[in-house]
Amino acid sequence: MLSDYSENIPYDLQEAAARIGVVEYKKGEQSIQDVVSSIPDLGMHYTKISTDNYKEIYDTVSKIEQGYLPSEIAKYEGLFRKIIEVKGQENQLQSVLASFVDISQTTSEDLKNKNIVVAFGDDKYIYKIPSYVDYIKEYFNSKNEMPLEIALTFLTNQSMRTDIPFNKYLSRINDLIENAKRDKYIHKLTKWEKKYKESGLDNFIEISKTKVSKMYLQSLKTAHSPQEVYDLTGIKEYSKIYYIISNIRDFDETEIRTFINNILEKKSDNSLNKTEYRKLFMAYCLLIER
């Protein structure tokens, strides 16, 4: 192996020693002892490490930031060059990061377990249409991190029968520059606005009352906040959520919002996609956006 290295890595003594290490087992030696060694016949230099403490070696190696291989970057070199040469000359090159999470809070565990995509290109074309859960989490995010046009595109692709909050973005449509797009979004969202003005929150409340099992009512009435309702044991989860909706006017609005923030953070995407949760989010928005 060292012979192959010596033939293909034309480094001087210091560079070779910095790049190649050979670990030699030395019983009872807990410190890491290293010296520059050589194989005269090959003209080969390397760092010889003598130790019994292999754990420290592995711990040190695991902290190395390897970066990207040149071969990985080369695959996209042509695309990068085209964007920079064409858009750069036109003074239209902009940095774009499409994200629905706070990247600064991303942990090493997230990087191992989540699908993450990094895109480089023209901001007119780099975007992601969110899922319902992406959208609803951002709707209740006060930072408005989701680009307005992405949110509006998602909304206009939804069926009129879908219960989904929209008023937050309806009020921001005039921020759009292109009139044609603005008119398209306004048309869809004003139809939704009319639908909920006709049915309103009362319809959600009345329907939800029919979804709560009567056998649970006595126990449910003992709770005084959404969280207390949710924490009750021995009651089906959907009955608890529908009970919260059916009594949404009786609960403190701040407590409802705290409860919603809590479930958005802790519940799985599959749970948040369930009908009862969708209706809860819509009912709350109808309550506070009246």
Side-chain angles (χ1 to χ4, degrees), residues 11 46 66 74 80 87 154 157 174 234:
Y11 296 126
Y46 61 95
Q66 298 184 69
F80 289 167
K87 292 299 179 183
F154 171 78
N157 287 334
N174 288 330

Side-chain angles (χ1 to χ4, degrees), residues 99-102 134-146 168-169 172 257 261 264:
S99 170
F100 298 123
V101 297
D102 184 352
D134 288 332
Y135 174 87
I136 207 68
K137 286 182 177 180
E138 283 302 312
Y139 194 89
F140 286 99
N141 182 348
S142 59
K143 295 180 182 179
N144 289 325
E145 292 178 338
M146 183 180 292
K168 172 179 177 178
Y169 296 112
R172 292 176 55 205
R257 179 56 185 262
N261 288 341
L264 285 173

Side-chain angles (χ1 to χ4, degrees), residues 62-116:
S62 69
K63 295 175 183 176
I64 296 174
E65 176 56 59
Q66 298 184 69
Y68 297 97
L69 294 172
S71 58
E72 294 177 295
I73 299 299
K75 291 189 295 184
Y76 305 101
E77 183 179 2
L79 294 174
F80 289 167
R81 183 181 293 112
K82 184 175 181 180
I83 291 169
I84 293 169
E85 289 177 353
V86 176
K87 292 299 179 183
Q89 289 177 4
E90 297 173 1
N91 294 321
Q92 295 180 14
L93 187 63
Q94 298 183 38
S95 297
V96 180
L97 180 59
S99 170
F100 298 123
V101 297
D102 184 352
I103 290 180
S104 66
Q105 301 300 315
T106 303
T107 66
S108 58
E109 198 63 29
D110 291 331
L111 295 175
K112 292 178 184 177
N113 299 320
K114 292 184 177 180
N115 294 322
I116 296 175

Side-chain angles (χ1 to χ4, degrees), residues 53-210:
N53 189 355
Y54 278 52
K55 181 179 185 303
E56 185 172 345
I57 293 175
Y58 288 128
D59 288 343
T60 302
V61 171
S62 69
K63 295 175 183 176
I64 296 174
E65 176 56 59
Q66 298 184 69
Y68 297 97
L69 294 172
S71 58
E72 294 177 295
I73 299 299
K75 291 189 295 184
Y76 305 101
E77 183 179 2
L79 294 174
F80 289 167
R81 183 181 293 112
K82 184 175 181 180
I83 291 169
I84 293 169
E85 289 177 353
V86 176
K87 292 299 179 183
Q89 289 177 4
E90 297 173 1
N91 294 321
Q92 295 180 14
L93 187 63
Q94 298 183 38
S95 297
V96 180
L97 180 59
S99 170
F100 298 123
V101 297
D102 184 352
I103 290 180
S104 66
Q105 301 300 315
T106 303
T107 66
S108 58
E109 198 63 29
D110 291 331
L111 295 175
K112 292 178 184 177
N113 299 320
K114 292 184 177 180
N115 294 322
I116 296 175
V117 175
V118 176
F120 180 88
D122 194 323
D123 65 347
K124 292 180 182 177
Y125 306 110
I126 296 180
Y127 62 92
K128 172 196 173 216
I129 299 301
S131 66
Y132 169 78
V133 174
D134 288 332
Y135 174 87
I136 207 68
K137 286 182 177 180
E138 283 302 312
Y139 194 89
F140 286 99
N141 182 348
S142 59
K143 295 180 182 179
N144 289 325
E145 292 178 338
M146 183 180 292
L148 176 59
E149 192 163 342
I150 291 179
L152 291 171
T153 300
F154 171 78
L155 283 170
T156 53
N157 287 334
Q158 303 303 303
S159 165
M160 286 300 299
R161 293 174 293 179
T162 302
D163 292 319
I164 187 166
F166 62 89
N167 197 62
K168 172 179 177 178
Y169 296 112
L170 177 61
S171 63
R172 292 176 55 205
I173 283 183
N174 288 330
D175 293 343
L176 293 175
I177 297 173
E178 297 182 42
N179 291 331
K181 288 184 177 181
R182 185 167 63 239
D183 292 344
K184 179 183 71 172
Y185 298 138
I186 288 175
H187 176 72
K188 180 66 176 280
L189 269 63
T190 50
K191 286 175 68 177
W192 249 327
E193 188 178 37
K194 182 180 179 182
K195 167 189 170 182
Y196 289 111
K197 276 186 177 179
E198 292 173 352
S199 58
L201 180 58
D202 290 336
N203 191 39
F204 277 84
I205 290 174
E206 292 306 312
I207 291 174
S208 296
K209 286 180 179 178
T210 66

